[in-house]
Structure formats: structure tokens, C-alpha cells
Amino acid sequence: SGLAGRLFGGRRAAARSSSSAAAVFERRFASAATKNSYDEILTSLAKPGGGADFGKYYSLPALADPRIDRLPYSIRILLESAIRNCDEFQVTGKDVEKILDWENSATKQVEIPFKPARVLLQDFTGVPAVVDLACMRDAMSKLGSDPNKINPLVPVDLVVDHSVQVDVARSENAVQANMELEFSRNKERFGFLKWGSTAFNNMLVVPPGSGIVHQVNLEYLARVVFNNGGILYPDSVVGTDSHTTMIDGLGVAGWGVGGIEAEATMLGQPMSMVLPAVVGFKLSGKLRNGVTATDLVLTVTQMLRKHGVVGKFVEFYGGGMGELSLADRATIANMAPEYGATMGFFPVDAKTLDYLKLTGRSDETVAMIETYLRANNMFVDYKQVQAERVYSSYLELDLDEVEPCLSGPKRPHDRVTLKNMKSDWLSCLDNKVGFKGFAVPKESQGKVAEFSFRGTPAKIKHGDVVIAAITSCTNTSNPNVMLGAALVAKKACDLGLEVKPWIKTSLAPGSGVVKKYLDKSGLQKYLNQLGFNIVGYGCTTCIGNSGDLDESVAAAITDNDVVAAAVLSGNRNFEGRVHALTRANYLASPPLVVAYALAGTVNIDFEKEPVGISKDGKEVYFRDIWPTTDEIAEVVKASVLPDMFKGTYEAITKGNPMWNELPVSASTLYPWDPKSTYIHEPPYFKDMTMTPPGARPVKDAYCLLNFGDSITTDHISPAGSIHPDSPAAKYLKERNVERKDFNSYGSRRGNDEIMARGTFANIRIVNKFLKGEVGPQTIHVPSGEKLAVFDAAMKYKNEGHDTIILAGAEYGSGSSRDWAAKGPMLQGVKAVIAKSFERIHRSNLAGMGIVPLCFKAGEDADTLGLTGHERYTIQLPTDVNEIKPGQDVTVTTDNGKSFTCTLRFDTEVELAYYTHGGILPYVIRKIAAEQ
């Protein structure tokens, strides 16, 4: 009966009484094997220079199985994990065989367990994770079990201060001022995380102000190879942000999962996953002069989106690998969520080892990593003839063909070459409203809005840039593009160019190392001169923390319906994400961000039109300020030094005065404050017993929301600022919180009351019920009232009605936001019926007990004539033994329609989560049964 059966004695346990279920659990866990089935291949790893061994490892060559040499490197990591954890209980020999036979089994949607080496949390998702752990301890106490058994069993790295609200920019003291504001606003949240670092074992907390989680992971946290009690094994990681994939550039297998799934992993649960197909992506040639890694990644993103890689691994190989720096690889790996893959993997080679030395890893550590990976056939040596590896499908790119480009104005895979940018922009103004259109009437396209900016006359028109931000781990970890941007700034300053003062410019490096090499190069002063002062070390504009625009600029945009633009070196540009008033958002390399800030508009042809006028009155063109590849390489070589990494990260564990002075409770149970608007005890375990609830019928449910295609987790999950007229704002006002202290949804992720009210509160959400009107409202079907989504959901709840959601293709694409599943669950949503789901979100829905269903191919709500005003009954068997992953399910409506959907519980374990009411109740019952 699969992994769920192995853990809980089969799904029939769900229907038994509390006492019998507990007895079944105890028998199962007591009989678990402790001996590894593959101990005969446990081998000592000798040091190259002699002396004591590095340790022992499970040797893949010792299996003498010819299939291993044909496996992609990414699959070998899954294989090693299965072998090392094979106890014939959570992981069996049959699981190992499925992975060994990957060439055949990958086409069959087979389920395998995977135990990552560690879990990575950033504070926005780390807060609810720690909230849930604290709440689980309370639940354990109520069940009469030892609450201290709730501790991470897998190492957890938690990086605090994932994002910085850009309130202070264009100022030499921006970092300190923003940091003080962050601590003022988030003191309670930071204090809670500091409590977690002392209350829970096996959890490393990186204090605020250290950098973006993914860059810190790349430069400092990643082990590449673990040595745990003398057992060596590859580093692998799941993180509560989809851009955890950045670490794949370092040869560490990692991807994003929802917070709820990460929590289960932390507590020792193997992840259940479908053995993935692997797309082999061959790189050849070399990037042309002036072309950046960002241009490459936007090109790769478009290619892979077109190819279709959702749920798959992408593995890069070929002669072009040697032309890419480790930072270039990390840039490509980081964007895996944007091209839809689970991960974009770069196996470890000599470039990886060089980077480890550059970032301060010791010579002995690097020697251990190389020796282990070579011995276990996980190291790529491009000096040797490569054994033929098999991939599920193949792509190839000649790096010489990559052109300078951007992506936008609303999606990261809508690539636009730089030379076609002006014409593409003009067509976007003409096109009907959509991903590539704003439907601005011809007679209005040249409209100029005049306003006064701090006493100076100013003008703004369609396409004018109001936000220019060098941000995001995608690019700020890459010295080539960062120093390239600085060189653009220097050339511009030398010619006397300026950035208009009303453009909100900012620079948010992913770690303090960036400041060190910018200072060393002597180029930071030129960025400052153009307004690109460092505002903090964390995610900013890319995650919606742009801060407010000047009131005069905001009024000019709003009063004149201007399609204003933002240009950022980020990875996400969905409408409404960067800023509510920038309807056009373009992803670009850091040097291009500076160039567009100088131009002041995206409505420009850089080949033909000047960027600005020099101090001596001459026209300055793009080519006059653009650095060559050799210029950048020279500055990188002279400015990026190993001591910078060592010094930065040696200081991390010491914290900073504001962090160190935070008071912390010594209790292992968190003292919940009912008056807190930041940290609130959620209702997930209310009235929980040891008896799993089993399958729950969905009968005569109303449709809460009726969506089309590409509804992202940004549309679903609360993010960005809290609108003053929203249900969340009303909640805060009722608790005497002033508007200036609303903070962001991200900072309040530890309060389920806020997050439930902010679910589906995106101002750009398009709900078919509203017939073309955009906004976070819906129709309460029985009464016909137009209400805020949360208010409608509560009205249905109070009336005793279940609700479902109708959706189109790619439902839940974007960041791995657990609140995109938690929020709908708290609103009473029982099922989502969509054309297709993004991988992580579908898994999260299952983990929160929401039923994910897919229309059959060629069908959707429109073709079936569904308006959303019907009532829906999902014919799901009440006997859990009759429910199977991927089975057909009939849905009927109260007006006589009937159609068949596919049940998207893809694995037995996801089905077990559902029958237990979610991942966390499942884990609590497991741990309680073990005691």
C-alpha cells in the first residue's frame, strides 16, 4: 500500500478507533528495522595524502551495476540517499531498484521517498514553520505526550531578515535606517525566531542583516558533502522558497517546497516524490562580448518554458560549461521556478571547487568534497572523455547565440530582445489587456502628465521608469553583473549623466560580500551618485517590498492612468507584485537596470536613441556606457577576494547589537500572547484526536472564485503591503494598530487571522464572477452580494456551506508559498478544480487537506458550460481504501451537469496526508505513536 501503508499499517488504520489506531502505530514503529540493507557497500574513504580516513560512505561503484554510469548526476543523488536510508521501513530495497532502473521507471510516474540532508528556511516562511512547531508542542501536551519530542531531526538552517522594505533610499545611511525600521516593525517576529533558536535543537539561525537566504546558502551554508558522525554523503536541501534552486549551481540538489512539507521533512518524514524525468540541456560555445548571465538565463527560461519542464529536473552539461562561472550557473539555477522545473542542476566540477576555495571553505574540506565525489562517481571531469548519460529529452544552446534581452512586462518568460524593446513596448500599449497588452487608446498613448516633485516641475508618461532596482539573489550573487552595473554607473557619471530624482533607485545585495568588493573596486561611489545606494541586505523590490513612491509621483500615475514601469534585476515580475502602481515590470541584468534608470523610460531604442545628454551637451548612447566583457573580468579578478567571504561570514554567528539585545523566554513551550497581531496560535490542531478523520465528502459546495489561466501564488497568497480598505486592515484597526504600523503581509505570516484575511486579496486578481472588473472581490452566489473574498468565505462558512475554486491552466505557479494553501483551507475551501497545477502548490493543497482535481484534457469550466453559480458535489469514495492516486472522480452540479476529473493526489503519501487532515496532524500522530 505504499509508503503511507508502511508508516501507518495501511490506510485502513484511518477508519479504526483512537485506541486501535494508536496500537497499530506503536506496533509499526516498534518493529521498524534499524540495520541498513546496504551496509555491505559501506566503504572507507582514504585521504589522498594518507593518514586517518575522511570517513565512510555508501559506495555506488561497489554495487557493480552498469545502469549507474548512465544515470544523470541529479538522479545519482536520489539513489545515494535511498541507499543510505534503506531501513526497509521508510525506504525499501524496492525504492532503490526504482531509482536504479530510472531509464524505464521515470516514464511510469513511480513514487519514491527522498530524505534531504537538510532544510532551509527564510524568515517569512520560517516564522509560520516555527509557529507550527510551537503549536505542535502544545498539541502533543494535550494528547498526553512529551512535547519536547517535537524537534527538527534533520538539520535546519534558518536565515532571518529575508526581505527589506525600501523606505529609505538615495542615502548614505540607508542600510542603518532601514535596519532600524525593520527592527522597530518586526521586533516581535525576530524575538520569536530567536526563541525558536534556543527552544529547538538542530536549528542554526542566521541573524538579520546578513543577506538574502539563497546567497547566504550559496556562499556559506552549503556543505556540498556532509560528514555526519563519520558518514559522508552529498548535501541536498529543500527550502521554503522556490528559489532554493539557486544552490543547484553549486552541485547541491535543492528545490523549493511548501512550509508544511518542509516541516514534515524537519521532523524526519521522508519526502514522497514522483521519480522525475530529466531534461539534458547541452551548452556549447561562449557568450559574446557584452552579453551577461542575466541575458543567458532569460533565454534559457524562455526555451525551457516552451519545452515544458514542470515536475522535471533539468541537468546542464557540455563544452560550454567551462565558459560559465559558478555565479553564472547559480543565476541559471535560481530561475528554475520561472522555467517551471523542479531544479536546474549543475554537477560538481573543477569550477565548483574553485568557488568553494574563493568563498572561504578550507583546503581540507574541499579535498574531502573532491575525493568523495570522485570516488562515488558524482564528479564531472571535463578533461576526461565523458561517459554517455541518458536523458528523458534534450535541448541545446550555443552561448554565442544569446542576445541582450529583458523579460516582461508581466511574466518572466516573456523575453524581449534589447533591440526590439521599443517596438515590443509600443505593441503592448496597443494590444488588448493581457500578459502582453494594456489596451491604451492610440489618442492617449502620447499623453504627458505634469506634476511637481518637491517643488520642481516634472513630467511622466506611459513607459516611464519610476522604480529601478538592483535586487534579488538571482543577480546580486554574481560579481560579473554587479561590477558590470558599477562600471556602467562610472561611465555615466564621468559623462555627467544623472537619474531623474523621482525614480526610486535602490541596491540590495544578497550579502555583505558584495559591498566589500564594490568598495574594493572603488565603484560604489558611482552607484551612489546615481542613487543606487545600498538599502539593505535582503530581498526588496523583487518580493514586493518596494516601499512607497513619492506621493506626487503616485498621484500623477493614478490621476492620469499612466502605465508606469519598473525595471529590476529580479526573477518575478507578475502584475501587482513589484508595486501596485507599476503595471509594466521588466526583468533585466543589473547593468541594464542602470541604463534604463538613466534613460528614464522603456520606450527607447538603445541602438538609435541617446540615453542622455553629457555635461558638455553631447548625446550619449548606450554603447558609450556599456562595459566590455574583458573590462568586467579585470575588475572582478582584482576585487573579489577570499578574505571578503571569510570575514563576512565569521561575523554572522556573532549577530548584531539589535538582535543580541532581544529578550527571549526560556520556556520550551511558547507563551502565546492573545493580543499579538504578529504571532498567533493557529487552529490547525483544534479538537485533534489520534483517530485520522479519513475522507471527507464535498457536497453541494458553492464556487468561491472562478479563475482563468495563470493564477499565481502571488494572486492567492498574501504578499506586499496591507491595503487600508482590506479585511486584514479592518482586523488591525479593530486592535488599535495604526495604518503606519500595518507593515506587510510577509512580516505578519505568523498570524493566521491576518493571512486568512489576506488570501486572494491581490488587487490585480481577475475573477470571472466580476465580468471584467479587477480586484479582490467575489460574488456570494446565494445572495448575489459583491463582497471581499474573505468576507464571502466567512459568510459561506457561517451558513454551513463548503466551497470550491474553479481555475484554468498553471494554477498556483510562482513562489512556493505555503499560505497559498493554508489561506484557502482557513477560508473553508475544500477542493480546487483546475486545468493544471504548478508542482509545489498542488502538493501544498494536498498537505493542507484540500482536494486537487484536474479537468480532463480538452475540457475546462468554459467548455463544460460552468459559470460558477452552480453547486458542486465531488463523488469521492468515503472508504479510504477505495481512493487511489490519479483515479477518475465524478463531479456533479445541482443543474444536472456531470463531468469527470482526475484526482491529483499523485502519491500514496499525499493521500495519507489528506486522510489525516494534513501533513502536521499526520506527523503528530506518528511521533505520539512512537512514544
Side-chain angles (χ1 to χ4, degrees):
S1 61
L3 182 58
R6 293 197 296 277
L7 286 174
F8 291 106
R11 283 182 272 156
R12 289 181 176 81
R16 296 175 182 168
S17 68
S18 175
S19 59
S20 63
V24 169
F25 294 169
E26 288 169 3
R27 287 197 301 273
R28 276 286 168 181
F29 298 131
S31 63
T34 56
K35 179 176 170 56
N36 189 299
S37 300
Y38 288 85
D39 275 351
E40 70 273 8
I41 63 169
L42 193 59
T43 307
S44 294
L45 184 68
K47 291 184 178 179
D53 294 336
F54 282 121
K56 293 180 179 294
Y57 70 103
Y58 287 89
S59 171
L60 300 186
L63 288 174
D65 192 317
R67 292 175 294 181
I68 295 176
D69 288 337
R70 292 169 58 81
L71 291 178
Y73 286 95
S74 49
I75 298 299
R76 297 180 197 188
I77 292 176
L78 301 183
L79 175 64
E80 189 282 337
S81 175
I83 289 171
R84 176 167 36 87
N85 292 291
C86 186
D87 59 0
E88 300 300 340
F89 175 56
Q90 290 186 325
V91 183
T92 71
K94 291 181 180 178
D95 297 318
V96 173
E97 175 56 28
K98 289 176 186 176
I99 303 172
L100 276 168
D101 199 37
W102 172 83
E103 280 188 61
N104 298 310
S105 54
T107 62
K108 301 175 183 176
Q109 291 288 295
V110 300
E111 170 196 355
I112 63 163
F114 176 54
K115 284 198 165 188
R118 60 190 170 97
V119 173
L120 180 69
L121 305 175
Q122 42 91 345
D123 68 337
F124 272 14
T125 44
V127 168
V130 180
V131 165
D132 290 349
L133 287 172
C135 198
M136 289 172 75
R137 280 191 171 174
D138 290 342
M140 288 284 282
S141 293
K142 292 169 185 174
L143 287 171
S145 298
D146 182 1
N148 292 320
K149 292 291 184 181
I150 301 291
N151 265 310
L153 299 178
V154 173
V156 176
D157 299 325
L158 194 159
V159 182
V160 186
D161 201 17
H162 176 64
S163 62
V164 176
Q165 184 81 5
V166 185
D167 288 301
V168 181
R170 294 204 177 196
S171 166
E172 292 295 335
N173 68 343
V175 174
Q176 183 63 23
N178 280 317
M179 189 73 149
E180 289 173 359
L181 283 168
E182 284 295 299
F183 264 85
S184 169
R185 290 172 173 147
N186 303 306
K187 186 176 182 179
E188 185 178 349
R189 180 173 111 236
F190 291 164
F192 175 69
L193 289 174
K194 189 176 178 183
W195 166 81
S197 71
T198 60
F200 297 104
N201 299 328
N202 217 17
M203 181 183 289
L204 169 68
V205 175
V206 178
S210 304
I212 300 174
V213 56
H214 308 306
Q215 188 164 344
V216 173
N217 191 22
L218 187 76
E219 295 175 351
Y220 174 63
L221 296 173
R223 283 71 156 182
V224 184
V225 172
F226 262 86
N227 186 339
N228 189 352
I231 300 296
L232 306 172
Y233 52 92
D235 188 4
S236 56
V237 59
V238 291
T240 53
D241 184 273
S242 54
H243 291 105
T244 300
T245 54
M246 186 176 191
I247 204 61
D248 299 322
L250 195 67
V252 175
W255 59 86
V257 296
I260 43 185
E261 191 174 4
E263 290 163 27
T265 303
M266 287 160 48
L267 294 165
Q269 284 297 106
M271 288 179 53
S272 180
M273 61 185 291
V274 173
L275 186 62
V278 182
V279 177
F281 199 124
K282 186 177 182 180
L283 298 172
S284 60
K286 182 179 181 180
L287 291 175
R288 285 181 288 159
N289 181 44
V291 177
T292 69
T294 314
D295 302 321
L296 171 59
V297 75
L298 295 179
T299 303
V300 168
T301 297
Q302 185 183 47
M303 290 177 65
L304 287 170
R305 267 291 172 188
K306 183 178 180 180
H307 186 76
V309 292
V310 173
K312 300 176 183 178
F313 289 177
V314 177
E315 186 167 298
F316 294 88
Y317 70 103
M321 292 281 282
E323 299 297 332
L324 298 180
S325 70
L326 196 288
D328 292 343
R329 299 176 185 187
T331 300
I332 297 170
N334 184 290
M335 290 281 277
E338 281 66 49
Y339 45 81
T342 301
M343 66 176 182
F345 187 73
F346 291 80
V348 175
D349 64 3
K351 289 258 183 175
T352 318
L353 302 180
D354 289 343
Y355 181 82
L356 291 173
K357 293 173 183 175
L358 172 68
T359 50
R361 274 75 165 196
S362 71
D363 289 343
E364 183 175 359
T365 297
V366 175
M368 180 269 288
I369 290 169
E370 180 178 6
T371 305
Y372 168 80
L373 293 175
R374 283 186 182 275
N376 223 12
N377 285 358
M378 294 181 176
F379 186 89
V380 182
D381 191 338
Y382 287 105
K383 295 177 182 178
Q384 298 178 355
V385 177
Q386 299 296 299
E388 181 183 355
R389 291 183 298 282
V390 176
Y391 293 108
S392 308
S393 60
Y394 297 82
L395 282 174
E396 184 171 356
L397 174 64
D398 184 343
L399 298 177
D400 185 61
E401 297 175 358
V402 177
E403 297 182 65
C405 57
L406 301 87
S407 279
K410 301 181 184 182
R411 295 190 301 186
H413 54 281
D414 289 333
R415 188 176 69 94
V416 187
T417 59
L418 186 64
K419 64 185 179 185
N420 292 326
M421 184 64 183
K422 184 181 179 76
S423 60
D424 190 82
W425 166 253
L426 293 175
S427 69
C428 286
L429 288 179
D430 289 332
N431 294 342
K432 65 180 182 180
V433 174
F435 295 123
K436 294 289 288 185
F438 298 102
V440 177
K442 281 284 188 185
E443 62 273 16
S444 301
Q445 291 181 9
K447 179 180 179 181
V448 177
E450 297 185 354
F451 65 102
S452 176
F453 179 79
R454 299 174 186 172
T456 303
K459 298 177 181 180
I460 190 171
K461 56 187 182 296
H462 296 306
D464 276 7
V465 174
V466 295
I467 291 176
I470 300 174
T471 181
S472 166
C473 48
T474 309
N475 287 287
T476 67
S477 62
N478 192 323
N480 287 343
V481 291
M482 296 300 286
L483 287 166
L487 284 170
V488 171
K490 180 183 186 303
K491 290 172 182 284
C493 289
D494 288 347
L495 290 167
L497 301 187
E498 296 179 345
V499 174
K500 293 181 178 69
W502 56 82
I503 297 177
K504 189 163 191 178
T505 48
S506 60
L507 167 59
S511 82
V513 175
V514 179
K515 182 181 188 305
K516 289 187 176 182
Y517 66 64
L518 284 172
D519 286 343
K520 169 74 173 173
S521 70
L523 297 173
Q524 179 66 57
K525 62 183 179 183
Y526 300 107
L527 287 166
N528 293 348
Q529 193 172 325
L530 296 183
F532 289 95
N533 302 85
I534 294 178
V535 297
Y537 301 97
C539 288
T540 54
T541 308
C542 191
I543 202 172
N545 280 0
S546 307
D548 293 332
L549 294 176
D550 186 270
E551 289 182 4
S552 64
V553 178
I557 293 171
T558 304
D559 295 346
N560 297 278
D561 197 24
V562 172
V563 183
V567 182
L568 64 150
S569 64
N571 42 44
R572 295 280 164 82
N573 58 336
F574 302 123
E575 191 171 13
R577 178 185 177 101
V578 171
H579 194 284
L581 297 180
T582 59
R583 288 155 64 188
N585 303 284
Y586 286 93
L587 305 182
S589 66
L592 273 182
V593 171
V594 177
Y596 274 102
L598 290 163
T601 180
V602 298
N603 185 16
I604 184 173
D605 183 339
F606 277 145
E607 289 188 359
K608 300 175 182 177
E609 299 175 70
V611 175
I613 305 298
S614 71
K615 55 191 173 186
D616 56 4
K618 295 181 180 178
E619 291 182 338
V620 177
Y621 288 84
F622 179 79
R623 57 184 172 271
D624 299 325
I625 61 172
W626 199 252
T628 66
T629 299
D630 287 344
E631 283 181 279
I632 295 172
E634 185 178 339
V635 176
V636 170
K637 185 177 180 180
S639 305
V640 185
L641 307 172
D643 286 348
M644 295 176 178
F645 294 89
K646 289 180 181 178
T648 298
Y649 289 110
E650 282 173 358
I652 273 185
T653 53
K654 298 176 183 176
N656 58 66
M658 287 182 281
W659 170 262
N660 294 337
E661 290 167 8
L662 288 173
V664 173
S665 167
S667 172
T668 57
L669 291 178
Y670 186 71
W672 303 100
D673 179 0
K675 296 179 181 179
S676 172
T677 57
Y678 278 97
I679 308 297
H680 183 262
E681 184 178 10
Y684 305 136
F685 308 111
K686 188 178 180 181
D687 302 323
M688 178 185 166
T689 67
M690 282 294 290
T691 304
R696 284 85 68 200
V698 180
K699 187 175 181 181
D700 290 331
Y702 283 100
C703 180
L704 178 64
L705 292 152
N706 186 0
F707 291 131
D709 294 344
S710 296
I711 292 296
T712 72
T713 51
D714 283 334
H715 290 118
I716 306 167
S717 180
S721 60
I722 297 173
H723 194 278
D725 297 327
S726 66
K730 181 181 177 183
Y731 174 88
L732 290 171
K733 289 174 186 174
E734 289 171 351
R735 283 149 185 81
N736 301 315
V737 177
E738 297 182 29
R739 181 179 174 182
K740 67 180 179 63
D741 296 321
F742 279 4
N743 213 330
S744 65
Y745 282 113
S747 66
R748 293 186 182 273
R749 281 191 182 181
N751 188 325
D752 59 286
E753 296 281 4
I754 295 286
M755 299 303 280
R757 286 164 172 78
T759 301
F760 299 113
N762 187 296
I763 62 170
R764 297 293 178 188
I765 204 165
V766 178
N767 175 11
K768 291 181 183 178
F769 277 144
L770 301 184
K771 298 180 179 178
E773 185 181 344
V774 177
Q777 294 182 308
T778 194
I779 300 298
H780 177 256
V781 173
S783 66
E785 289 181 88
K786 184 167 74 171
L787 300 169
V789 176
F790 174 79
D791 293 337
M794 292 305 101
K795 193 172 179 69
Y796 283 125
K797 261 192 162 185
N798 294 335
E799 293 166 349
H801 299 308
D802 289 342
T803 55
I804 61 113
I805 289 171
L806 294 176
E810 296 181 334
Y811 184 74
S813 58
S815 297
S816 56
R817 300 190 186 281
D818 52 322
W819 274 109
K822 286 181 175 178
M825 186 275 286
L826 291 173
Q827 288 187 354
V829 173
K830 303 301 181 185
V832 178
I833 309 175
K835 285 181 70 174
S836 63
F837 293 93
E838 196 81 349
R839 175 186 62 86
I840 298 173
H841 183 61
R842 185 205 56 75
S843 177
N844 283 348
L845 291 175
M848 290 310 295
I850 295 175
V851 181
L853 295 168
C854 273
F855 292 107
K856 288 296 183 180
E859 295 184 345
D860 59 21
D862 293 336
T863 62
L864 292 169
L866 304 174
T867 66
H869 289 81
E870 307 86 355
R871 299 184 73 174
Y872 295 79
T873 295
I874 299 172
Q875 308 289 349
L876 197 65
T878 54
D879 184 347
V880 295
N881 297 295
E882 297 178 11
I883 305 176
K884 305 292 181 186
Q887 74 182 58
D888 284 350
V889 173
T890 301
V891 181
T892 58
T893 66
D894 62 336
N895 62 357
K897 291 183 183 294
S898 178
F899 55 97
T900 302
C901 291
T902 302
L903 180 64
R904 286 301 309 278
F905 294 130
D906 288 358
T907 66
E908 291 281 353
V909 168
E910 286 183 350
L911 188 50
Y913 292 158
Y914 167 69
T915 59
H916 277 259
I919 287 180
L920 300 182
Y922 173 95
V923 172
I924 285 182
R925 291 188 180 103
K926 172 183 180 294
I927 294 174
E930 285 178 317
Q931 294 182 26

